[in-house]
Amino acid sequence: MTIKKLFLYNIYNYDMNELNTSQEMPPRKKGDNKRNLLILGAALIVALLAGWLVFSTVKANKRANRVQLQMEQLQLEFAQNQLEREYQDLNDEFQQFENSRKYIKDDSIKRELNDKYEAARIQVEKLQQELANQKNKSAAEIAKLRGEIDTLRALLRHYVEEIDRLNKENEALRTENKEIKEQNTRLSSQVTETKRANEVLNERMTLAEKLNVTGLNITALNKKGKNEKKVEKAVQLMVSFTIPQNNSTPVGEKTIYLRIMSPSGQLLTYGGTFSFEGGSVEYTAKKTIEYAGEEIGGVTIYYDVNTPLIAGDYTVELFADNYRLISRHFNLK
């Protein structure tokens, strides 16, 4: 019942009571009417206060509900913004790990990780767009967005674990490759040392095959084949030496070439040459012997003087089988 209806109802009842009272009871006194008016006014004030209180309560409840709804929307928007930041952080972190994909050699793993992450990322962006276009958010939609972001987080965790596992495998392979490389280096060094040792051994064996020469000497001779004290008067130079026994030297015919260098550095020669180390070398005289592995003593090679000789240091060298057998210096007076 509204305040207006209540007021009219009270007035009507009051008039009816007055009419009935006036018909049944004797006339009232002047003081009774005044008291009745006061009671009526008080009742009217109480009714007005009650109506105002009811109206205020309803209005306050509506305001409280509106504030509560606004608070809930603000909380949902805050949750949405927080989830969007989490998504951006996850996406940035995922992009950083893109550089580590080179460690994943299996294309199927790459494709599976990327496809799953891309599908979840598209769903998150779709939900973000839907929420951005809505004036009022719902807790169910926010929860759905959180679920999709949790899916991204799980995928990223799997991505990190996979890369970490592959990094450990690669580290183990690098360690193994390093060990293998070190082993190969050691083997290569051993091979090099063995090769060098073989070369030295071959060189020694080759050197062992050459003829040995001992007792090398040079003597100036006169016309009678006797020793000449003054080399300027010599008509012939005789070089003598001994070839010791050498079981390593191949037996057979050996040609020994003699080179005599004068004190002035001029080779005493008649124009003959022999092969030595890939080139041609002039010689002073030569002699062919038959070597049977036994010692040959008193081997002599003669040079007929065809140019004036001078006193001084002479160099005598012997060659055979592409070897320099010996080289000595002698002072002739």
Side-chain angles (χ1 to χ4, degrees):
M1 181 180 294
T2 64
I3 297 175
K4 181 178 181 181
K5 290 181 179 181
L6 181 63
F7 177 71
L8 293 175
Y9 176 76
N10 289 332
I11 293 176
Y12 174 76
N13 288 337
Y14 176 76
D15 290 342
M16 292 301 296
N17 290 333
E18 286 295 324
L19 179 61
N20 293 332
T21 302
S22 61
Q23 294 175 355
E24 298 175 2
M25 299 182 64
R28 295 181 179 179
K29 295 181 180 180
K30 188 177 181 178
D32 293 336
N33 293 334
K34 187 177 181 180
R35 185 173 60 253
N36 290 333
L37 289 173
L38 289 175
I39 292 173
L40 180 61
L44 180 61
I45 291 173
V46 170
L48 290 173
L49 289 175
W52 178 83
L53 182 60
V54 171
F55 176 77
S56 298
T57 301
V58 172
K59 187 176 182 180
N61 287 337
K62 289 182 178 180
R63 185 183 300 111
N65 290 336
R66 186 166 58 252
V67 171
Q68 179 67 25
L69 182 60
Q70 291 176 352
M71 289 294 296
E72 290 177 356
Q73 287 298 312
L74 288 175
Q75 290 176 354
L76 292 175
E77 289 179 0
F78 176 77
Q80 178 187 355
N81 292 333
Q82 185 178 15
L83 289 175
E84 288 177 352
R85 286 195 298 271
E86 290 182 15
Y87 163 70
Q88 189 59 46
D89 292 341
L90 285 172
N91 203 39
D92 292 343
E93 190 172 354
F94 183 83
Q95 294 301 324
Q96 291 177 2
F97 280 100
E98 284 293 281
N99 295 329
S100 301
R101 288 193 305 172
K102 61 184 179 181
Y103 295 116
I104 305 178
K105 303 300 183 182
D106 193 336
D107 291 336
S108 61
I109 296 178
K110 285 183 187 179
R111 187 164 49 252
E112 180 182 2
L113 287 173
N114 290 336
D115 290 348
K116 287 183 177 180
Y117 192 90
E118 185 66 17
R121 185 186 64 80
I122 292 174
Q123 182 65 20
V124 168
E125 293 181 352
K126 179 181 177 181
L127 291 174
Q128 286 178 330
Q129 186 63 36
E130 292 176 355
L131 287 171
N133 294 334
Q134 292 179 5
K135 183 177 181 180
N136 295 326
K137 318 298 180 184
S138 69
E141 291 170 333
I142 296 297
K144 187 176 181 182
L145 177 60
R146 176 172 293 281
E148 294 296 335
I149 289 179
D150 288 342
T151 299
L152 281 179
R153 185 178 288 108
L155 286 171
L156 180 60
R157 188 183 304 113
H158 177 63
Y159 207 147
V160 173
E161 291 173 353
E162 186 69 17
I163 291 175
D164 184 61
R165 181 183 67 80
L166 293 171
N167 282 339
K168 289 180 180 178
E169 290 181 0
N170 289 335
E171 182 64 28
L173 288 175
R174 284 193 292 269
T175 301
E176 184 178 354
N177 289 336
K178 182 179 179 182
E179 293 176 355
I180 293 175
K181 185 177 181 180
E182 290 176 352
Q183 291 177 359
N184 290 336
T185 301
R186 289 194 295 270
L187 288 175
S188 178
S189 178
Q190 293 176 0
V191 169
T192 301
E193 292 177 359
T194 302
K195 183 178 179 180
R196 186 181 301 112
N198 289 335
E199 290 176 352
V200 172
L201 180 60
N202 289 335
E203 183 178 356
R204 289 178 178 176
M205 292 178 63
T206 301
L207 290 175
E209 292 179 354
K210 77 173 186 177
L211 291 172
N212 293 327
V213 175
T214 61
L216 180 64
N217 194 22
I218 185 170
T219 305
L221 302 177
N222 56 25
K223 294 179 180 181
K224 296 180 180 182
K226 303 295 183 179
N227 292 346
E228 177 60 52
K229 295 181 178 179
K230 293 183 179 181
V231 69
E232 293 93 338
K233 296 181 180 181
V235 296
Q236 197 174 43
L237 295 177
M238 180 184 70
V239 174
S240 59
F241 54 91
T242 297
I243 299 177
Q245 178 182 357
N246 187 354
N247 295 329
S248 298
T249 301
V251 298
E253 189 178 84
K254 307 290 183 181
T255 300
I256 301 175
Y257 296 93
L258 168 66
R259 281 170 56 90
I260 301 175
M261 196 75 65
S262 69
S264 62
Q266 181 180 2
L267 177 67
L268 304 182
T269 179
Y270 69 90
T273 62
F274 66 95
S275 297
F276 180 71
E277 294 182 350
S280 296
V281 179
E282 290 184 309
Y283 62 89
T284 303
K286 68 177 181 178
K287 186 171 185 176
T288 300
I289 63 173
E290 187 68 30
Y291 182 71
E294 302 294 334
E295 178 179 312
I296 302 176
V299 181
T300 56
I301 302 177
Y302 295 91
Y303 165 69
D304 295 330
V305 176
N306 56 13
T307 184
L309 300 178
I310 59 175
D313 290 333
Y314 285 78
T315 300
V316 178
E317 295 177 321
L318 295 178
F319 294 81
D321 297 334
N322 207 33
Y323 291 109
R324 186 194 306 268
L325 304 181
I326 194 170
S327 177
R328 293 286 186 272
H329 299 286
F330 299 92
N331 184 266
L332 300 179
K333 302 296 185 179

